[in-house]
Amino acid sequence: MATGGSVIDTVLRDLDESISVPIFWTRAELLTHLNDGLQELNLISGKFQVETPAFVPTTATLQTTPTGSIAVLHVSRSSQFLRKRRLEDMDRENKKWMQETSAGNVIKQWGPVGLNLWFVYPKLFSGGSTLAIVTLDQPGTIGEGTTIALDEEYIDALEMYVFHMARFKEGGAEFQQSMEAYDKFREICGHVATRKMSEQYTLWSKEPAGETGANYGTISRS
Amino acid sequence: MATTVTQLLAQIDELVLENSSFSSGLWTTAELIDFINVVSANVILDSQITKQTDTVDAVAATRSYSEPADSMSIDRIDFDNIALYRTSRGYLDLENKKWRTEAGRPARYHQDQLPSKTFEVDKAPTAALAVLDFHVISTKLPAAVAAIGDALTVPDYMVIYVKFGVLEKMLSKQGEAQDLAKAAYCKERYEFGMELFKNLMSEKAKDNG
């Protein structure tokens, strides 16, 4: 598994620099680019997601995004998905929606208010109810010795990002040529996310039984 | 842990081949702090990521109110938790030319043809209604930094885009260090970042990682 240091070694080799005593670039500045790349990778791919199974909402309409999280992505209650809405649409449908409370403490909808806040509808009558929320979290800071817990394709992408940003300092034709590396970085981050999406099967509820087609949840092949 | 101005400038000086005190004189530290403040406000306004909620006390027979301090643009106002619809003075005039004489429960507000940082509601609250409040959701202006030891007040995950915004300003400046191609690149990176944040707030959940 790659570490921050091994990514920097690879990039320095690609830049034809000494790994131990680089001259034009310092290892510290490349580490900064690595951490920036990780931030952008996370925003493109949504890779660093965490589920909090028992988030306790307040009885107010507006909730605060947990510390360390960038955004709330998904909310469910008793394993049932809650529909994500826009604040403006809530107002247009029913301008009194913020006055409504759920006597049974059942939240049915939610939506973002910026990224630091989010709303629930209807708000809770009393405390004690919990939600499961999925958040996009900030990746931890990578040091030279930190293991980067990502798939290999993402490590390749990060190496391209750091290589490209190193070329920024150099400028000229070298920087221009390295645009390809940055484009590839974006492509990999987006591509892997897309592939994961396509792996979420929606047609059957169980593993289909080989060529027989048995066990399909929604399609009859007879 | 919040990034300080010193830490951000240390990242920037490496990219523009400067030393930590920017001794070339192409840019001054005071100028860079100004850039940081301008760009920090821009990233919050462009991305719409940080919102604040404020309460504004209703006052009997008063229809004009000041925006909350530190708000850059109002997203939503409600009165007693009932949303007010945003409109314009022109529409209010066309519907009822005497609307400014009416009292009662406000239902709409406008911000055009008014002094800046002000909103006006269609009906002035009566004394009985003045015990209730307006609630305002707005985009929060980040606190300015004044010295190199200060911590940036934008979230940590935004610092990368503050950096590209500051670099764009530095490299666009008339003079020896001007590099319009790199400035355009920095602008593109900044704008791409703003798009990423807008995606996170779209109705489609980004749950595909």
Side-chain angles (χ1 to χ4, degrees):
Chain A
M1 184 120 354
T3 62
S6 71
V7 169
I8 291 169
D9 289 350
T10 305
V11 173
L12 284 170
R13 269 195 294 270
D14 291 345
L15 293 167
D16 198 22
E17 269 276 14
S18 158
I19 289 169
S20 52
V21 195
I23 297 165
F24 192 63
W25 296 274
T26 65
R27 293 185 71 92
E29 72 181 279
L30 297 184
L31 195 59
T32 301
H33 298 324
L34 174 59
N35 280 294
D36 283 353
L38 197 62
Q39 288 280 3
E40 194 157 276
L41 179 151
N42 188 34
L43 292 172
I44 299 172
S45 68
K47 189 68 186 166
F48 290 86
Q49 296 185 21
V50 171
E51 180 161 14
T52 305
F55 175 84
V56 183
T58 66
T59 52
T61 297
L62 293 178
Q63 311 290 323
T64 303
T65 302
T67 306
S69 300
I70 298 171
V72 176
L73 300 179
H74 186 276
V75 181
S76 56
R77 181 189 165 276
S78 302
S79 299
Q80 289 185 46
F81 145 83
L82 304 189
R83 189 174 167 200
K84 186 178 184 184
R85 305 295 310 279
R86 292 193 316 149
L87 194 60
E88 186 183 346
D89 294 339
M90 298 297 290
D91 285 346
R92 287 190 185 284
E93 280 178 20
N94 171 15
K95 64 181 182 179
K96 295 182 178 178
W97 67 275
M98 274 200 185
Q99 285 192 328
E100 294 177 14
T101 54
S102 167
N105 277 329
V106 179
I107 291 169
K108 293 178 179 169
Q109 297 177 359
W110 75 282
V113 181
L115 291 181
N116 60 325
L117 300 172
W118 52 290
F119 68 81
V120 294
Y121 170 76
K123 62 189 172 191
L124 298 175
F125 176 72
S126 61
S129 185
T130 61
L131 297 171
I133 64 169
V134 177
T135 49
L136 180 65
D137 282 8
Q138 296 185 51
T141 304
I142 299 287
E144 287 249 8
T146 311
T147 300
I148 307 172
L150 286 171
D151 302 329
E152 192 54 42
E153 57 264 51
Y154 286 117
I155 303 297
D156 292 344
L158 286 171
E159 285 168 1
M160 285 183 237
Y161 183 92
V162 178
F163 175 79
H164 168 66
M165 285 311 298
R167 290 294 202 200
F168 179 95
K169 177 172 163 178
E170 208 168 12
E174 285 83 359
F175 174 53
Q176 201 171 359
Q177 233 171 10
S178 77
M179 280 308 299
E180 200 177 320
Y182 181 62
D183 288 345
K184 192 74 184 164
F185 162 80
R186 276 195 195 177
E187 187 189 324
I188 291 173
C189 297
H191 169 73
V192 176
T194 309
R195 198 191 67 204
K196 296 267 183 194
M197 191 66 168
S198 71
E199 286 171 358
Q200 293 171 2
Y201 303 113
T202 53
L203 284 179
W204 46 77
S205 56
K206 301 184 227 176
E207 192 68 23
E211 293 299 309
T212 67
N215 284 348
Y216 275 76
T218 54
I219 291 179
S220 168
R221 295 181 121 191
S222 61
Chain B
M1 196 173 64
T3 307
T4 63
V5 173
T6 308
Q7 288 168 328
L8 179 60
L9 292 183
Q11 294 177 20
I12 288 172
D13 70 40
E14 288 160 345
L15 288 168
V16 293
L17 299 171
E18 271 280 0
N19 58 23
S20 59
S21 54
F22 288 85
S23 58
S24 71
L26 292 169
W27 303 279
T28 64
T29 307
E31 179 182 22
L32 295 174
I33 288 175
D34 278 348
F35 287 163
I36 290 170
N37 285 326
V38 169
V39 174
S40 295
N42 285 346
V43 291
I44 299 300
L45 201 54
D46 292 343
S47 67
Q48 297 283 308
I49 61 159
T50 312
K51 302 293 179 184
Q52 64 180 2
T53 59
D54 294 280
T55 299
V56 176
D57 294 335
V59 179
T62 301
R63 62 182 74 245
S64 284
Y65 297 88
S66 296
E67 274 187 28
D70 300 339
S71 85
M72 286 196 281
S73 66
I74 289 182
D75 286 27
R76 180 186 194 271
I77 301 177
D78 73 47
F79 181 68
D80 184 29
N81 286 328
I82 300 176
L84 305 186
Y85 293 139
R86 188 184 182 96
T87 186
S88 69
R89 183 163 178 178
Y91 278 116
L92 290 166
D93 287 344
L94 283 172
E95 283 174 20
N96 174 9
K97 63 184 179 182
K98 293 182 178 173
W99 67 273
R100 272 193 157 175
T101 64
E102 295 202 343
R105 179 178 277 274
R108 288 175 291 176
Y109 76 97
H110 77 99
Q111 289 195 282
D112 59 325
Q113 299 184 26
L114 289 173
S116 63
K117 311 284 280 180
T118 308
F119 67 90
E120 184 179 36
V121 291
D122 59 345
K123 291 179 183 172
T126 58
L129 289 168
V131 297
L132 303 170
D133 298 318
F134 294 99
H135 303 109
V136 180
I137 297 177
S138 60
T139 305
K140 183 178 168 59
L141 174 70
V145 292
I148 57 169
D150 289 354
L152 302 189
T153 51
V154 297
D156 270 351
Y157 53 83
M158 287 304 259
V159 171
I160 172 176
Y161 301 109
V162 173
K163 180 161 65 183
F164 282 114
V166 171
L167 278 166
E168 185 209 341
K169 288 190 173 300
M170 292 171 70
L171 297 168
S172 304
K173 182 182 168 181
Q174 191 70 39
E176 272 180 59
Q178 189 181 58
D179 187 335
L180 295 178
K182 273 189 182 176
Y185 164 85
C186 292
K187 185 179 179 203
E188 196 274 335
R189 290 290 307 274
Y190 172 91
E191 287 171 351
F192 178 64
M194 298 307 104
E195 287 305 312
L196 292 174
F197 288 108
K198 283 177 191 162
N199 286 344
L200 286 175
M201 286 177 278
S202 72
E203 217 163 344
K204 285 190 242 168
K206 188 183 171 68
D207 54 2
N208 56 353

